[in-house]
Amino acid sequence: MNGPGNLRVHEALLYGGTQERITWVYGDLRGSAQSSVKLGNTAVELRAQVPDPLAVAGSLSVNGKATYRLPTAAMTPKLALTHDTQGLFNVTLNEAAGTVYFTDGRTWSRLSAPAGAGLRGTAVAGLRGAGNFTDAEADALSAALLNQGPLAVTVLNEAGVPDAPLAVEPAPTEYRRTALYVLPNVRTVVAQGSATGSVTITPGAGQPGSVQAQGARVTFTELASGTNAAVTDPTVRVATSQGELSALYGLAYGRQTGVPAAPSLGAGGTAVGIFLGQRPTGGYGVRVLGASTQGGVLTLTAEVRSPGPGSITTQALTSPWTIVRVSGTYREVRVVNAQGQSLPGGAGGGTGQTR
């Protein structure tokens, strides 16, 4: 094993919903096309870094991959947390008393205390400051854990985890380890007197992320979205009454403790629930990009996300969904992708049927 100059090894040890050991190897190839080291009992080839979401500046590729990855050992739960509809957190278990980070699948926040009830989160860019990560490593890992629905992460004492440090040959000039416990599918519980928020989106030419199907444009409001619906098959459900909207919320939040009260549908309004059905891991999601109407038919253009090859995913069953509201009454709804192709289950009628 000749090894690169200034060999450094940094590791992320992920437990809980994601069981992976991710190793970044840094060094100077000193003008050579390749070098080699031994990680554990395995000899690996180091070359220039390859394009990959987990690649960071200064690191080398390992056997043609951005990082060296192995499974981690199983671990008993180290974190228990719920999130309520007013944005407060209740942490009932945090064994290492480490900092807790939370993502709703889109943004990150850091909790003000490692345990307790009624805790508030502070908006942060991601996992920067967690453990022994460099900022670049924290940014790459934060991005990799997004789009997997609500999950929480706590920093563990790396000296107490079941996986021993890797034996590295030749000996590195620096060896860092950071251990994290990942809690997927964080439950949302109903807070007393809470109100459900919504985001109104007005589709239009030149607006980022706005894709239009043929027909008259329609303004839509995203009422809620998540990844843990009580739905196993792809389906679209349409609600034209307050009772039907409440039934939609029951499907969407059916695997959680308590169902948030549905907002007012409003006179002459229609709500549409798009459910992707059961998926084997995290990393899946759906959101509406545009809405149009023609001949009394409402067409929603939706984007479906799925994890790419080699992505970090939470190993838990998910069922992604989104619910949007539009003005006007529609009994026939089509859901298509940006190319105009119908999504599975993408034609919907009332909440009691799909077609």
Side-chain angles (χ1 to χ4, degrees), residues 234-240 244 247-248 251 272-273 275 330-333 345-355:
T235 187
V236 174
R237 299 294 180 98
V238 180
T240 57
E244 289 177 340
L248 267 185
L251 283 176
V272 182
F275 299 88
Y330 301 92
R331 288 291 182 181
E332 187 175 349
V333 177
T351 55
Q353 62 174 339
T354 57
R355 55 177 196 271

Side-chain angles (χ1 to χ4, degrees), residues 90-175:
N90 182 24
V91 179
T92 55
L93 172 66
N94 187 2
E95 189 169 298
T99 302
V100 177
Y101 297 81
F102 173 79
T103 175
D104 58 5
R106 298 178 182 179
T107 60
W108 284 92
S109 58
R110 185 176 60 235
L111 273 60
S112 57
L119 302 177
R120 292 191 178 276
T122 301
V124 292
L127 296 171
R128 287 195 176 197
N132 300 306
F133 291 131
T134 67
D135 286 349
E137 292 163 356
D139 291 347
L141 193 58
S142 300
L145 290 173
L146 283 178
N147 301 318
Q148 299 197 52
L151 61 83
V153 175
T154 189
V155 180
L156 300 174
N157 180 356
E158 64 268 16
V161 300
D163 294 280
L166 279 176
V168 182
E169 184 185 338
T173 60
E174 179 182 71
Y175 186 85

Side-chain angles (χ1 to χ4, degrees), residues 29-84:
L29 293 177
R30 295 179 286 200
S32 300
Q34 69 180 72
S35 183
S36 60
V37 298
K38 184 176 284 189
L39 299 177
N41 296 317
T42 303
V44 298
E45 182 182 273
L46 305 179
R47 290 181 177 269
Q49 189 53 277
V50 296
D52 188 275
L54 285 175
V56 299
S59 63
L60 301 171
S61 68
V62 183
N63 289 342
K65 304 291 185 181
T67 57
Y68 183 62
R69 292 165 71 167
L70 294 170
T72 54
M75 177 183 283
T76 57
K78 305 298 181 185
L79 179 66
L81 173 148
T82 59
H83 176 243
D84 73 22

Side-chain angles (χ1 to χ4, degrees), residues 137-329:
E137 292 163 356
D139 291 347
L141 193 58
S142 300
L145 290 173
L146 283 178
N147 301 318
Q148 299 197 52
L151 61 83
V153 175
T154 189
V155 180
L156 300 174
N157 180 356
E158 64 268 16
V161 300
D163 294 280
L166 279 176
V168 182
E169 184 185 338
T173 60
E174 179 182 71
Y175 186 85
R176 296 189 188 186
R177 296 198 336 146
T178 300
L180 303 176
Y181 187 87
V182 180
L183 177 69
N185 294 331
V186 171
R187 294 186 299 113
T188 300
V189 297
V190 179
Q192 193 75 21
S194 65
T196 302
S198 61
V199 179
T200 301
I201 304 170
T202 305
Q207 185 169 352
S210 180
V211 179
Q212 286 301 303
Q214 188 67 28
R217 292 180 306 205
V218 176
T219 299
F220 65 92
T221 301
E222 181 184 284
L223 297 179
S225 61
T227 59
N228 203 21
V231 176
T232 56
D233 297 317
T235 187
V236 174
R237 299 294 180 98
V238 180
T240 57
S241 69
Q242 193 64 39
E244 289 177 340
L245 179 56
S246 294
L248 267 185
Y249 267 62
L251 283 176
Y253 290 97
R255 291 180 178 170
Q256 300 187 174
T257 302
V259 177
S264 173
L265 181 60
T270 299
V272 182
I274 303 172
F275 299 88
L276 294 188
Q278 185 169 286
R279 301 301 164 102
T281 67
Y284 295 89
V286 58
R287 68 181 179 124
V288 174
L289 302 177
S292 64
T293 179
Q294 188 173 37
V297 178
L298 176 66
T299 298
L300 300 179
T301 302
E303 174 191 62
V304 175
R305 301 185 307 275
S306 57
S311 298
I312 300 173
T313 57
T314 54
Q315 300 304 302
L317 295 177
T318 58
S319 181
W321 58 274
T322 188
I323 298 175
V324 299
R325 177 178 58 198
V326 300
S327 298
T329 301

